[in-house]
Amino acid sequence: MTAEIITLRKVSKVYGSGESAVRALDSVSLSVRERDFVAVMGPSGSGKSTLMHILGCLDVPSSGDYFFAGEDVAQMGETELARIRNRRIGFVFQQFHLLPSMSAWRNVELPLLYRSTTGRRERALRALDEVGLANRVDHRPNQLSGGQQQRVAIARALVTEPTLILADEPTGNLDSQSSKDVLALLRSLNEAGHTVVLITHDAGVASVAGRVVEMSDGTLRERAAA
Ligand code: ADP
Ligand code: MG
């Protein structure tokens, strides 16, 4: 039996109030187990980013429950939430969010600076090796292609050995070959044991995941296996 990493029970999120209230999530339930690879797919405005913010402990539900690795997120204080964001979730964004003045390995090392870990450089180099960039560790972002920059960002997400990798439109800024490379990398990381949630509006992108859930107007439903 594998552990449940994400448990959402009837989670709703309402922005604003009164006439202008928007129900961005409407009673969403979802469970993601260790080693799953789940794509959350839906058109613009369907609630994907809202869901991502809640899953990433960047925002809280208006109602319903969220358990991360069995722990009730509503019961956590800011310190504990920050700890989960920094150590247990590896974020990958559409914009790579790399620091331009720093080399690849310095960028990857960043999440480790919050704690006194020895061997930070070695860990950063190992993560870069995992994403196939062992030969680019001293390059700065502007010396790398878009696909390589996103692989650096994935190495940065991996370096803390997170419980969950949360990727929001990771191929949104990439050409088709780089997109394929990044998706193949996410798939191989999943095969190596990482739990991955991939958020996308693109059915082709979603199809690399073993499981696809579809969002529409704030509701979520499981797509039948092909
Ligand atoms: P997606 O990422 O799928 O495009 P979002 O989660 O960004 O969808 O948005 C879902 C709905 O919630 C949309 O109708 C959007 O306009 C609304 N929304 C998102 N963020 C806010 C906010 N901060 N304040 C008010 N409405 C918001
Ligand atoms: Mg969005």
Side-chain angles (χ1 to χ4, degrees):
M1 238 307 266
T2 54
E4 202 157 295
I5 303 297
I6 287 171
T7 312
L8 291 179
R9 284 200 205 124
K10 297 192 172 176
V11 163
S12 294
K13 179 71 186 181
V14 179
Y15 293 113
S17 61
E19 296 250 309
S20 62
V22 175
R23 186 170 288 270
L25 294 179
D26 187 5
S27 198
V28 167
S29 296
L30 174 70
S31 57
V32 176
R33 310 192 73 88
E34 204 175 352
R35 294 173 170 265
D36 278 354
F37 187 175
V38 181
V40 176
M41 193 184 92
S44 176
S46 60
K48 302 183 300 297
S49 291
T50 302
L51 180 68
M52 147 105 183
H53 288 138
I54 288 174
L55 294 179
C57 298
L58 300 159
D59 200 358
V60 291
S62 305
S63 63
D65 297 312
Y66 176 25
F67 295 86
F68 181 86
E71 291 181 70
D72 187 353
V73 173
Q75 301 302 318
M76 295 178 192
E78 198 41 56
T79 312
E80 205 172 343
L81 290 172
R83 190 184 143 88
I84 289 196
R85 290 192 298 262
N86 291 337
R87 303 193 180 187
R88 302 203 60 187
I89 303 176
F91 291 93
V92 180
F93 301 99
Q94 179 171 353
Q95 322 282 351
F96 321 125
H97 293 311
L98 300 175
L99 295 182
S101 63
M102 286 189 175
S103 66
W105 84 263
R106 285 287 187 191
N107 268 285
V108 173
E109 182 197 31
L110 280 175
L112 300 177
L113 294 179
Y114 296 104
R115 44 181 152 160
S116 54
T117 319
T118 54
R120 286 197 300 254
R121 181 179 153 86
E122 289 64 34
R123 289 179 66 174
L125 296 181
R126 217 180 308 136
L128 282 164
D129 188 37
E130 246 186 293
V131 301
L133 287 178
N135 57 351
R136 293 286 188 279
V137 301
D138 291 318
H139 284 54
R140 285 192 307 278
N142 69 2
Q143 300 170 318
L144 297 167
S145 71
Q148 289 170 335
Q149 289 181 60
Q150 191 60 301
R151 279 148 65 195
V152 173
I154 292 171
R156 181 185 53 193
L158 285 174
V159 78
T160 59
E161 298 173 27
T163 306
L164 172 69
I165 296 174
L166 196 48
D168 191 10
E169 301 280 6
T171 60
N173 275 344
L174 300 178
D175 60 62
S176 66
Q177 187 55 51
S178 300
S179 295
K180 279 185 196 151
D181 294 346
V182 160
L183 294 173
L185 173 61
L186 288 174
R187 214 224 286 257
S188 76
L189 292 172
N190 172 249
E191 282 162 3
H194 291 281
T195 309
V196 181
V197 172
L198 166 64
I199 293 174
T200 182
H201 68 280
D202 184 322
V205 169
S207 68
V208 302
R211 177 180 161 208
V212 179
V213 295
E214 290 181 337
M215 292 217 67
S216 150
D217 283 335
T219 64
L220 188 151
R221 70 190 157 87
E222 204 80 30
R223 190 166 81 180

